[in-house]
Amino acid sequence: MPRRPIMSLAACLLVGFAVPGHAVLGGNEADIPIEAAAARMQIRPVDSGNGRYRLHEMRDGAARSLVRQYSRADGKVFGVAWDGAVKPDLGRLLGPYYARYIDAVQVAGRARGTRQIVGSDFVIVVSGHMRHFTGAAWLPGLKPADVDPAEIR
């Protein structure tokens, strides 16, 4: 009986969990409309002021959730923020940084109030309770020097 090649479990998992090229943290702003459609949200550009970055807002139809994506002049998404009654899909929003967020949460355990994870290349601040979730994440290495992290909200 001939042997058929068998894909390793790791390869199967990598294929099953591949992240599509959506406008996630560190991704390209050209993919923001794709992300909005996948999340079933309406998108609108917002004047960010002073031309230091571009800001795109995505809002769900029931206005229960707002997601903002901040991009540099070259189109790289350097920051994301959310606010609303429903927490957005952080896996999609944070992209490759989501695993680091989950690892940090598991190490820290359950916490009430604001949770802040600060790394040299990834920062996230989250808080929330039932029917009100807020948060912001940014990449210090991609954030324009003249943008204060407090603006990412």
Side-chain angles (χ1 to χ4, degrees), residues 107-124:
V107 168
R110 296 193 120 192
R112 290 182 176 241
T114 301
R115 181 183 304 252
Q116 190 170 22
I117 300 164
V118 179
S120 61
D121 63 338
F122 171 64
V123 177
I124 185 167

Side-chain angles (χ1 to χ4, degrees), residues 5-122:
I6 299 174
M7 246 176 137
S8 73
L9 177 60
C12 289
L13 290 174
L14 286 175
V15 170
F17 291 107
V19 178
H22 296 297
V24 298
L25 192 59
N28 190 332
E29 83 175 338
D31 294 325
I32 291 176
I34 296 167
E35 181 64 25
R40 299 174 194 235
M41 298 180 92
Q42 300 165 345
I43 185 171
R44 70 180 182 114
V46 177
D47 180 19
S48 62
N50 298 332
R52 296 173 297 135
Y53 56 83
R54 288 189 289 272
L55 173 60
H56 300 271
E57 282 188 356
M58 298 188 309
R59 188 178 298 271
D60 69 359
R64 298 179 330 156
S65 180
L66 171 71
V67 173
R68 292 185 180 99
Q69 295 182 319
Y70 299 77
S71 61
R72 305 183 313 188
D74 67 358
K76 284 289 188 188
V77 177
F78 68 86
V80 295
W82 58 93
D83 184 18
V86 177
K87 191 185 316 183
D89 181 349
L90 294 181
R92 289 184 71 98
L93 199 57
L94 299 177
Y97 298 93
Y98 182 68
R100 290 179 50 195
Y101 166 69
I102 291 300
D103 290 345
V105 167
Q106 289 175 344
V107 168
R110 296 193 120 192
R112 290 182 176 241
T114 301
R115 181 183 304 252
Q116 190 170 22
I117 300 164
V118 179
S120 61
D121 63 338
F122 171 64

Side-chain angles (χ1 to χ4, degrees), residues 4 30 150:
R4 294 188 319 198

